[in-house]
Amino acid sequence: MTTDRPPLPPFTRETAARKVRAAEHAWNTRDPHQVALAYSEDSVWRNRDTFLTGRAAIVEFLTAKWARERDYALRKDLWAFDGHRIAVRFQYESRDAGGQWWRSHGNELWEFDEHGLMTRREASINDVPIEESDRRILGPRPVE
């Protein structure tokens, strides 16, 4: 039995924005198991040049990601929505093991099932090295 993960499609501007903010909050926990619960058991991902399928693969991917990307802090903003799809613009900052800070930014395309679980995520991401003094994201936004 699948548990609903509101807000559910079809999305309105308000419910799409809530879905985006909930995703931002979850990703900022850096808890791969918590984040993976927002995706269907057979969710399909493209993240840069990496392709994966299923929650177990998502947990494995996110565990490795957050081991590399230290002090990770993310912002997601609604770009567009239609029915059961949402487009997001995002940026995040993190530092690598050598101390170099990075700003990563891009777009995500999301598709949801009737239970509000994401069945497809496609992320295009660019990385720019920055100085620590150039950081714009100094931590997660407060939960609303």
Side-chain angles (χ1 to χ4, degrees):
M1 170 150 191
T2 301
T3 302
D4 285 348
R5 188 120 179 150
L8 307 177
F11 297 110
T12 64
R13 177 166 300 285
E14 178 189 344
T15 60
R18 281 198 346 247
K19 197 73 153 177
V20 171
R21 191 65 65 237
E24 175 186 301
H25 175 68
W27 279 65
N28 276 322
T29 68
R30 292 175 256 163
D31 179 340
H33 297 280
Q34 178 183 337
V35 171
L37 294 175
Y39 301 91
S40 66
E41 289 288 345
D42 59 352
S43 187
V44 175
W45 276 30
R46 179 184 63 78
N47 194 91
R48 301 172 196 234
D49 62 349
T50 301
F51 296 82
L52 23 131
T53 302
R55 277 190 189 154
I58 291 168
V59 168
E60 182 179 342
F61 175 86
L62 292 175
T63 300
K65 170 187 176 60
W66 289 320
R68 286 187 318 275
E69 296 175 351
R70 300 167 182 197
D71 298 317
Y72 175 96
L74 167 74
R75 294 288 186 273
K76 290 182 183 279
D77 293 297
L78 176 64
W79 191 359
F81 67 96
D82 182 40
H84 63 286
R85 294 185 176 120
I86 296 175
V88 175
R89 296 180 350 167
F90 68 89
Q91 62 180 316
Y92 66 86
E93 294 172 349
S94 63
R95 65 180 175 81
D96 62 26
Q100 173 63 57
W101 282 93
W102 296 88
R103 181 173 300 123
S104 303
H105 57 92
N107 305 303
E108 291 177 317
L109 304 176
W110 299 345
E111 191 167 324
F112 296 87
D113 66 15
E114 68 277 7
H115 299 286
L117 295 171
M118 194 180 303
T119 58
R120 183 171 203 80
R121 173 184 175 265
E122 302 211 13
S124 298
I125 305 170
N126 299 297
D127 302 304
V128 178
I130 61 172
E131 297 297 321
E132 183 174 9
S133 60
D134 292 329
R135 291 182 60 209
R136 296 189 286 218
I137 306 171
L138 301 178
R141 280 191 259 219
V143 178
E144 298 171 358

